[in-house]
Each structure stands twice: as C-alpha cells, then as structure tokens.
Amino acid sequence: MRSKPAPVADPSALIRRALGLCRMLRNWPPEVLDELTALSRLGRYERHQQVRAADPKRREVLVVASGCVEVGGVDATGSRFVLSMHSAGDIVGLARLLEHTQFVYDYHAHQPTVLVEIPGESFLALLDAHPLLWKDICLLVLARMHELIVVQQRHAFSNIDNRVAELLARLAPTHGQPAPDGQGVVLRISQSDLAAMLSVSRQTINKELRLLEQRGLLQAAYGRLTIVDLAGLLRLADARARPGP
C-alpha cells in the first residue's frame, strides 16, 4: 500500500509564523500581522543564491524565516565585501523603502534560506495606516546605527586580533549553534567570509585564527569555527590596541 505524500505546509501559515517571530514585529497587533501576511509572499533560496536576482532593484522588505542572509557586494576592484549577516528573526531591506536611492550592495542566501518578502509600497502604506508602528522602525534603525558606530570605532583604534575577536563575539549569539558536546558555540562560516567582513586577506584571517587557537579561544575547521571561550574573545575584543614599536 502506497504511503500518502506529506502534506504541503500552507505558505500563509509559514509567513504568519515568521512575522510573529521577527524581533521587530512580534509585538505588533495581531490584526496588523494578519494584514501583513496577506501582502507578503514566501521566497526559498539555495546557498549562495542571490535574492531577487531577476529584479535586484525591487523595493521589498525581507524577514528571515530560516537560514541566513548576507548583505554585501563587489567593489570597483572586484573584491568582495560583506556588510552584515542576518539570521532567523531579523528584518532587512528597510533602506529599500527609500525612493530614488542607488544601492551598491545586494542580498545572497548564506545557506539554504526562507524569506518573507514584503512589497515596499504595501509596507509603507500599512505603516502610514498605523503611525505608531513607525516607532519600532526608528528604534531598530537607531540601534543598527549605534552598532555601526561602535564597529567603526573598534576598527579605527584596534589591531586585527581585536577586530577578529570582536566580529566572532558579535556573530556567536545570533549565528552560532551549541556544539554537539555542549562545549562551546559553533559558527558555520568560512575564512573567506570573515575576510570579506573585515576587508582583509584570507591569509590574514587564517593567521589570526591560528593565534586564537593557540590562546585556547577557539577551534578552527573547514567552514566551521567552534568558540570554546566566548568570555576570552570578549576580553580580547575590548582590549585596547597594542602600542606600536
């Protein structure tokens, strides 16, 4: 007797659940989230696939339902850069609500990823219909602006070892998973990704990771880092730059 095929999940139910788990949206009124669900569609992307490749200029807000989205691009010299990475519960693309703005970055799935794609015009209309919700947009933008200033300050006054430690400590809470043995946090990220995020060479990242291993702060493997001493990484990230010779 043939087994029945597994039922296909209702896209609307998946969208509604993802919106409810989004950190910025979770406290919005249920009727607003229901309205947002009706406006949205579900997008599924394979690893490294560009989001909205057929129309990269389309004005959409993205909510990460699962997986991870990488925001980045290629500069004039052909070098890849990564501005940020966003995991489940994050909302990205708010800058796409701006009209007549040219962007030099795009979005790629860092791993198999499911996104809720919200048309920009519809999202703006919903916000205008519920003006108090603009407060959540403003608070998120201000928080990200503050984070950017802190990162820029660290980069200006820190050595590369401080910068690598700071980046790993920042990624661990949102992108890390508990190690199978319960000892540490596993980050599924390549040395090339880290190099692109810090605008340094892969060779520099390799050298710094080996030094962090020698300090007993992490264990490096192909495409994977296991942070075994997050507190130690945080101390290194906060350390002042060493004086020059």
Side-chain angles (χ1 to χ4, degrees), residues 80-106:
R80 172 173 167 256
F81 63 89
V82 176
L83 297 172
S84 60
M85 298 174 69
H86 301 271
S87 57
D90 284 346
I91 185 168
V92 295
L94 291 172
R96 298 273 173 170
L97 298 177
L98 297 172
E99 292 189 72
H100 313 300
T101 302
Q102 183 176 1
F103 298 99
V104 296
Y105 55 84
D106 49 35

PDB file of all heavy atoms in Angstrom, residues 80-106:
ATOM      1  N   ARG A  80      35.296  41.240  -3.014  1.00  0.00           N
ATOM      2  CA  ARG A  80      34.022  41.005  -2.354  1.00  0.00           C
ATOM      3  C   ARG A  80      34.034  41.628  -0.972  1.00  0.00           C
ATOM      4  O   ARG A  80      35.041  41.591  -0.255  1.00  0.00           O
ATOM      5  CB  ARG A  80      33.781  39.497  -2.258  1.00  0.00           C
ATOM      6  CG  ARG A  80      32.594  39.065  -1.431  1.00  0.00           C
ATOM      7  CD  ARG A  80      32.378  37.565  -1.572  1.00  0.00           C
ATOM      8  NE  ARG A  80      31.457  37.053  -0.570  1.00  0.00           N
ATOM      9  CZ  ARG A  80      31.831  36.373   0.504  1.00  0.00           C
ATOM     10  NH1 ARG A  80      33.104  36.122   0.717  1.00  0.00           N
ATOM     11  NH2 ARG A  80      30.942  35.926   1.377  1.00  0.00           N
ATOM     12  N   PHE A  81      32.916  42.229  -0.583  1.00  0.00           N
ATOM     13  CA  PHE A  81      32.776  42.756   0.774  1.00  0.00           C
ATOM     14  C   PHE A  81      31.452  42.283   1.353  1.00  0.00           C
ATOM     15  O   PHE A  81      30.483  42.069   0.635  1.00  0.00           O
ATOM     16  CB  PHE A  81      32.858  44.292   0.799  1.00  0.00           C
ATOM     17  CG  PHE A  81      31.750  44.988   0.048  1.00  0.00           C
ATOM     18  CD1 PHE A  81      30.556  45.312   0.670  1.00  0.00           C
ATOM     19  CD2 PHE A  81      31.907  45.314  -1.292  1.00  0.00           C
ATOM     20  CE1 PHE A  81      29.536  45.958  -0.017  1.00  0.00           C
ATOM     21  CE2 PHE A  81      30.889  45.961  -1.998  1.00  0.00           C
ATOM     22  CZ  PHE A  81      29.705  46.281  -1.355  1.00  0.00           C
ATOM     23  N   VAL A  82      31.424  42.106   2.656  1.00  0.00           N
ATOM     24  CA  VAL A  82      30.217  41.700   3.377  1.00  0.00           C
ATOM     25  C   VAL A  82      29.934  42.751   4.438  1.00  0.00           C
ATOM     26  O   VAL A  82      30.771  43.017   5.302  1.00  0.00           O
ATOM     27  CB  VAL A  82      30.382  40.316   4.033  1.00  0.00           C
ATOM     28  CG1 VAL A  82      29.139  39.968   4.853  1.00  0.00           C
ATOM     29  CG2 VAL A  82      30.612  39.249   2.964  1.00  0.00           C
ATOM     30  N   LEU A  83      28.766  43.359   4.364  1.00  0.00           N
ATOM     31  CA  LEU A  83      28.381  44.398   5.320  1.00  0.00           C
ATOM     32  C   LEU A  83      27.769  43.817   6.584  1.00  0.00           C
ATOM     33  O   LEU A  83      28.026  44.292   7.687  1.00  0.00           O
ATOM     34  CB  LEU A  83      27.394  45.366   4.662  1.00  0.00           C
ATOM     35  CG  LEU A  83      27.928  46.156   3.460  1.00  0.00           C
ATOM     36  CD1 LEU A  83      26.792  46.927   2.792  1.00  0.00           C
ATOM     37  CD2 LEU A  83      29.027  47.104   3.896  1.00  0.00           C
ATOM     38  N   SER A  84      26.939  42.805   6.428  1.00  0.00           N
ATOM     39  CA  SER A  84      26.266  42.223   7.591  1.00  0.00           C
ATOM     40  C   SER A  84      25.666  40.881   7.220  1.00  0.00           C
ATOM     41  O   SER A  84      25.519  40.552   6.033  1.00  0.00           O
ATOM     42  CB  SER A  84      25.167  43.160   8.113  1.00  0.00           C
ATOM     43  OG  SER A  84      24.199  43.402   7.105  1.00  0.00           O
ATOM     44  N   MET A  85      25.317  40.114   8.257  1.00  0.00           N
ATOM     45  CA  MET A  85      24.652  38.823   8.074  1.00  0.00           C
ATOM     46  C   MET A  85      23.465  38.779   9.025  1.00  0.00           C
ATOM     47  O   MET A  85      23.541  39.252  10.157  1.00  0.00           O
ATOM     48  CB  MET A  85      25.619  37.677   8.330  1.00  0.00           C
ATOM     49  CG  MET A  85      26.797  37.661   7.357  1.00  0.00           C
ATOM     50  SD  MET A  85      28.035  36.403   7.753  1.00  0.00           S
ATOM     51  CE  MET A  85      27.094  34.926   7.376  1.00  0.00           C
ATOM     52  N   HIS A  86      22.362  38.218   8.541  1.00  0.00           N
ATOM     53  CA  HIS A  86      21.117  38.241   9.315  1.00  0.00           C
ATOM     54  C   HIS A  86      20.498  36.853   9.352  1.00  0.00           C
ATOM     55  O   HIS A  86      20.342  36.202   8.311  1.00  0.00           O
ATOM     56  CB  HIS A  86      20.145  39.243   8.701  1.00  0.00           C
ATOM     57  CG  HIS A  86      20.699  40.641   8.649  1.00  0.00           C
ATOM     58  ND1 HIS A  86      20.540  41.530   9.683  1.00  0.00           N
ATOM     59  CD2 HIS A  86      21.426  41.271   7.693  1.00  0.00           C
ATOM     60  CE1 HIS A  86      21.137  42.665   9.373  1.00  0.00           C
ATOM     61  NE2 HIS A  86      21.681  42.542   8.177  1.00  0.00           N
ATOM     62  N   SER A  87      20.109  36.437  10.542  1.00  0.00           N
ATOM     63  CA  SER A  87      19.550  35.100  10.737  1.00  0.00           C
ATOM     64  C   SER A  87      18.057  35.181  11.022  1.00  0.00           C
ATOM     65  O   SER A  87      17.453  36.261  10.974  1.00  0.00           O
ATOM     66  CB  SER A  87      20.291  34.397  11.876  1.00  0.00           C
ATOM     67  OG  SER A  87      20.222  35.170  13.061  1.00  0.00           O
ATOM     68  N   ALA A  88      17.459  34.032  11.310  1.00  0.00           N
ATOM     69  CA  ALA A  88      16.012  33.964  11.547  1.00  0.00           C
ATOM     70  C   ALA A  88      15.592  34.943  12.634  1.00  0.00           C
ATOM     71  O   ALA A  88      16.226  35.049  13.684  1.00  0.00           O
ATOM     72  CB  ALA A  88      15.618  32.541  11.939  1.00  0.00           C
ATOM     73  N   GLY A  89      14.508  35.678  12.371  1.00  0.00           N
ATOM     74  CA  GLY A  89      14.019  36.670  13.304  1.00  0.00           C
ATOM     75  C   GLY A  89      14.434  38.087  12.960  1.00  0.00           C
ATOM     76  O   GLY A  89      13.929  39.044  13.544  1.00  0.00           O
ATOM     77  N   ASP A  90      15.356  38.218  11.985  1.00  0.00           N
ATOM     78  CA  ASP A  90      15.816  39.546  11.576  1.00  0.00           C
ATOM     79  C   ASP A  90      14.968  40.081  10.423  1.00  0.00           C
ATOM     80  O   ASP A  90      14.418  39.314   9.619  1.00  0.00           O
ATOM     81  CB  ASP A  90      17.279  39.507  11.128  1.00  0.00           C
ATOM     82  CG  ASP A  90      18.240  39.413  12.294  1.00  0.00           C
ATOM     83  OD1 ASP A  90      17.803  39.640  13.441  1.00  0.00           O
ATOM     84  OD2 ASP A  90      19.428  39.111  12.066  1.00  0.00           O
ATOM     85  N   ILE A  91      14.905  41.396  10.330  1.00  0.00           N
ATOM     86  CA  ILE A  91      14.257  42.065   9.206  1.00  0.00           C
ATOM     87  C   ILE A  91      15.314  42.914   8.509  1.00  0.00           C
ATOM     88  O   ILE A  91      16.098  43.606   9.161  1.00  0.00           O
ATOM     89  CB  ILE A  91      13.048  42.911   9.668  1.00  0.00           C
ATOM     90  CG1 ILE A  91      12.305  43.509   8.469  1.00  0.00           C
ATOM     91  CG2 ILE A  91      13.458  43.992  10.654  1.00  0.00           C
ATOM     92  CD1 ILE A  91      10.950  44.114   8.833  1.00  0.00           C
ATOM     93  N   VAL A  92      15.397  42.828   7.195  1.00  0.00           N
ATOM     94  CA  VAL A  92      16.407  43.551   6.425  1.00  0.00           C
ATOM     95  C   VAL A  92      15.738  44.219   5.234  1.00  0.00           C
ATOM     96  O   VAL A  92      14.602  43.911   4.874  1.00  0.00           O
ATOM     97  CB  VAL A  92      17.533  42.614   5.945  1.00  0.00           C
ATOM     98  CG1 VAL A  92      18.317  42.059   7.114  1.00  0.00           C
ATOM     99  CG2 VAL A  92      16.983  41.474   5.102  1.00  0.00           C
ATOM    100  N   GLY A  93      16.479  45.147   4.638  1.00  0.00           N
ATOM    101  CA  GLY A  93      15.964  45.807   3.448  1.00  0.00           C
ATOM    102  C   GLY A  93      15.137  47.035   3.742  1.00  0.00           C
ATOM    103  O   GLY A  93      14.479  47.561   2.836  1.00  0.00           O
ATOM    104  N   LEU A  94      15.156  47.524   4.991  1.00  0.00           N
ATOM    105  CA  LEU A  94      14.349  48.706   5.299  1.00  0.00           C
ATOM    106  C   LEU A  94      14.808  49.918   4.486  1.00  0.00           C
ATOM    107  O   LEU A  94      13.997  50.787   4.155  1.00  0.00           O
ATOM    108  CB  LEU A  94      14.421  49.016   6.799  1.00  0.00           C
ATOM    109  CG  LEU A  94      13.724  48.008   7.717  1.00  0.00           C
ATOM    110  CD1 LEU A  94      14.026  48.309   9.177  1.00  0.00           C
ATOM    111  CD2 LEU A  94      12.219  48.007   7.479  1.00  0.00           C
ATOM    112  N   ALA A  95      16.101  49.976   4.150  1.00  0.00           N
ATOM    113  CA  ALA A  95      16.592  51.091   3.342  1.00  0.00           C
ATOM    114  C   ALA A  95      15.969  51.087   1.951  1.00  0.00           C
ATOM    115  O   ALA A  95      15.938  52.118   1.274  1.00  0.00           O
ATOM    116  CB  ALA A  95      18.113  51.027   3.232  1.00  0.00           C
ATOM    117  N   ARG A  96      15.447  49.928   1.548  1.00  0.00           N
ATOM    118  CA  ARG A  96      14.800  49.845   0.234  1.00  0.00           C
ATOM    119  C   ARG A  96      13.491  50.628   0.184  1.00  0.00           C
ATOM    120  O   ARG A  96      12.921  50.819  -0.894  1.00  0.00           O
ATOM    121  CB  ARG A  96      14.518  48.378  -0.115  1.00  0.00           C
ATOM    122  CG  ARG A  96      15.764  47.526  -0.233  1.00  0.00           C
ATOM    123  CD  ARG A  96      16.337  47.589  -1.617  1.00  0.00           C
ATOM    124  NE  ARG A  96      17.623  46.908  -1.695  1.00  0.00           N
ATOM    125  CZ  ARG A  96      18.242  46.645  -2.823  1.00  0.00           C
ATOM    126  NH1 ARG A  96      17.705  47.003  -3.966  1.00  0.00           N
ATOM    127  NH2 ARG A  96      19.410  46.036  -2.819  1.00  0.00           N
ATOM    128  N   LEU A  97      13.034  51.079   1.334  1.00  0.00           N
ATOM    129  CA  LEU A  97      11.828  51.904   1.351  1.00  0.00           C
ATOM    130  C   LEU A  97      12.120  53.309   0.826  1.00  0.00           C
ATOM    131  O   LEU A  97      11.203  54.048   0.475  1.00  0.00           O
ATOM    132  CB  LEU A  97      11.265  51.989   2.774  1.00  0.00           C
ATOM    133  CG  LEU A  97      10.812  50.654   3.394  1.00  0.00           C
ATOM    134  CD1 LEU A  97      10.347  50.874   4.829  1.00  0.00           C
ATOM    135  CD2 LEU A  97       9.697  50.015   2.578  1.00  0.00           C
ATOM    136  N   LEU A  98      13.406  53.674   0.776  1.00  0.00           N
ATOM    137  CA  LEU A  98      13.785  54.982   0.256  1.00  0.00           C
ATOM    138  C   LEU A  98      13.650  55.000  -1.267  1.00  0.00           C
ATOM    139  O   LEU A  98      14.077  54.060  -1.946  1.00  0.00           O
ATOM    140  CB  LEU A  98      15.236  55.310   0.637  1.00  0.00           C
ATOM    141  CG  LEU A  98      15.536  55.427   2.133  1.00  0.00           C
ATOM    142  CD1 LEU A  98      17.037  55.545   2.346  1.00  0.00           C
ATOM    143  CD2 LEU A  98      14.817  56.630   2.726  1.00  0.00           C
ATOM    144  N   GLU A  99      13.095  56.063  -1.768  1.00  0.00           N
ATOM    145  CA  GLU A  99      12.958  56.195  -3.218  1.00  0.00           C
ATOM    146  C   GLU A  99      14.179  56.874  -3.807  1.00  0.00           C
ATOM    147  O   GLU A  99      14.893  57.625  -3.138  1.00  0.00           O
ATOM    148  CB  GLU A  99      11.710  57.018  -3.546  1.00  0.00           C
ATOM    149  CG  GLU A  99      10.400  56.326  -3.192  1.00  0.00           C
ATOM    150  CD  GLU A  99       9.197  57.078  -3.740  1.00  0.00           C
ATOM    151  OE1 GLU A  99       8.987  57.051  -4.959  1.00  0.00           O
ATOM    152  OE2 GLU A  99       8.493  57.704  -2.919  1.00  0.00           O
ATOM    153  N   HIS A 100      14.428  56.602  -5.092  1.00  0.00           N
ATOM    154  CA  HIS A 100      15.483  57.261  -5.855  1.00  0.00           C
ATOM    155  C   HIS A 100      16.845  57.134  -5.161  1.00  0.00           C
ATOM    156  O   HIS A 100      17.634  58.078  -5.122  1.00  0.00           O
ATOM    157  CB  HIS A 100      15.145  58.741  -6.077  1.00  0.00           C
ATOM    158  CG  HIS A 100      13.742  58.982  -6.549  1.00  0.00           C
ATOM    159  ND1 HIS A 100      13.268  58.443  -7.741  1.00  0.00           N
ATOM    160  CD2 HIS A 100      12.710  59.651  -5.984  1.00  0.00           C
ATOM    161  CE1 HIS A 100      12.005  58.801  -7.898  1.00  0.00           C
ATOM    162  NE2 HIS A 100      11.636  59.525  -6.848  1.00  0.00           N
ATOM    163  N   THR A 101      17.108  55.974  -4.590  1.00  0.00           N
ATOM    164  CA  THR A 101      18.380  55.712  -3.925  1.00  0.00           C
ATOM    165  C   THR A 101      19.085  54.555  -4.620  1.00  0.00           C
ATOM    166  O   THR A 101      18.479  53.501  -4.839  1.00  0.00           O
ATOM    167  CB  THR A 101      18.167  55.369  -2.440  1.00  0.00           C
ATOM    168  OG1 THR A 101      17.479  56.448  -1.804  1.00  0.00           O
ATOM    169  CG2 THR A 101      19.493  55.144  -1.738  1.00  0.00           C
ATOM    170  N   GLN A 102      20.357  54.745  -4.944  1.00  0.00           N
ATOM    171  CA  GLN A 102      21.124  53.696  -5.606  1.00  0.00           C
ATOM    172  C   GLN A 102      21.908  52.916  -4.559  1.00  0.00           C
ATOM    173  O   GLN A 102      22.576  53.500  -3.708  1.00  0.00           O
ATOM    174  CB  GLN A 102      22.087  54.304  -6.632  1.00  0.00           C
ATOM    175  CG  GLN A 102      22.869  53.256  -7.413  1.00  0.00           C
ATOM    176  CD  GLN A 102      23.752  53.878  -8.483  1.00  0.00           C
ATOM    177  OE1 GLN A 102      23.790  55.101  -8.620  1.00  0.00           O
ATOM    178  NE2 GLN A 102      24.439  53.046  -9.239  1.00  0.00           N
ATOM    179  N   PHE A 103      21.801  51.610  -4.624  1.00  0.00           N
ATOM    180  CA  PHE A 103      22.478  50.760  -3.654  1.00  0.00           C
ATOM    181  C   PHE A 103      23.623  50.002  -4.327  1.00  0.00           C
ATOM    182  O   PHE A 103      23.497  49.563  -5.472  1.00  0.00           O
ATOM    183  CB  PHE A 103      21.491  49.762  -3.036  1.00  0.00           C
ATOM    184  CG  PHE A 103      20.374  50.430  -2.281  1.00  0.00           C
ATOM    185  CD1 PHE A 103      19.123  50.603  -2.864  1.00  0.00           C
ATOM    186  CD2 PHE A 103      20.571  50.898  -1.001  1.00  0.00           C
ATOM    187  CE1 PHE A 103      18.095  51.222  -2.176  1.00  0.00           C
ATOM    188  CE2 PHE A 103      19.541  51.522  -0.302  1.00  0.00           C
ATOM    189  CZ  PHE A 103      18.304  51.681  -0.888  1.00  0.00           C
ATOM    190  N   VAL A 104      24.730  49.863  -3.582  1.00  0.00           N
ATOM    191  CA  VAL A 104      25.902  49.170  -4.126  1.00  0.00           C
ATOM    192  C   VAL A 104      26.035  47.770  -3.526  1.00  0.00           C
ATOM    193  O   VAL A 104      27.044  47.120  -3.694  1.00  0.00           O
ATOM    194  CB  VAL A 104      27.183  49.974  -3.843  1.00  0.00           C
ATOM    195  CG1 VAL A 104      27.154  51.307  -4.562  1.00  0.00           C
ATOM    196  CG2 VAL A 104      27.382  50.189  -2.333  1.00  0.00           C
ATOM    197  N   TYR A 105      25.004  47.328  -2.831  1.00  0.00           N
ATOM    198  CA  TYR A 105      25.047  46.006  -2.225  1.00  0.00           C
ATOM    199  C   TYR A 105      23.792  45.227  -2.618  1.00  0.00           C
ATOM    200  O   TYR A 105      22.805  45.785  -3.097  1.00  0.00           O
ATOM    201  CB  TYR A 105      25.130  46.113  -0.694  1.00  0.00           C
ATOM    202  CG  TYR A 105      24.030  46.948  -0.071  1.00  0.00           C
ATOM    203  CD1 TYR A 105      22.786  46.403   0.226  1.00  0.00           C
ATOM    204  CD2 TYR A 105      24.240  48.293   0.220  1.00  0.00           C
ATOM    205  CE1 TYR A 105      21.781  47.163   0.785  1.00  0.00           C
ATOM    206  CE2 TYR A 105      23.234  49.066   0.785  1.00  0.00           C
ATOM    207  CZ  TYR A 105      22.012  48.499   1.065  1.00  0.00           C
ATOM    208  OH  TYR A 105      21.019  49.259   1.621  1.00  0.00           O
ATOM    209  N   ASP A 106      23.860  43.922  -2.421  1.00  0.00           N
ATOM    210  CA  ASP A 106      22.709  43.074  -2.691  1.00  0.00           C
ATOM    211  C   ASP A 106      22.610  42.018  -1.593  1.00  0.00           C
ATOM    212  O   ASP A 106      23.326  42.080  -0.598  1.00  0.00           O
ATOM    213  CB  ASP A 106      22.808  42.433  -4.085  1.00  0.00           C
ATOM    214  CG  ASP A 106      24.171  41.799  -4.327  1.00  0.00           C
ATOM    215  OD1 ASP A 106      24.760  41.264  -3.355  1.00  0.00           O
ATOM    216  OD2 ASP A 106      24.660  41.842  -5.468  1.00  0.00           O
TER     217      ASP A 106
END
